[in-house]
Amino acid sequence: MIRLKNGYGIVSDGKSYTLIQYAIQTSKNGEVKEIQKSISFHSTLEGALQGYSNCRMADLVSDYDMDLKFVKEAIDDLKREIKAYE
């Protein structure tokens, strides 16, 4: 498993890759546990990392009002982060 930033990760079954997001789930009896939600399935690690990049950009766009300069900086930051995993 590869733990990524911002609550994401990548798991593999040996044949493909799944982009996951960690979440906290509370049961009816009050038990709290961390779960993994499947986000997308990929045949390559590069595809899973691109999926992560797309999700992070969608998260940023939904959370903030941004101008194009900020978007460019966010994309550059994501590229540097992903390059560290290669």
Side-chain angles (χ1 to χ4, degrees), residues 1-5 7-11 18-22:
M1 176 176 48
I2 302 170
R3 275 199 180 259
L4 303 170
K5 294 181 180 179
Y8 289 92
I10 297 173
V11 295
T18 304
L19 178 64
I20 58 167
Q21 186 173 30
Y22 298 99

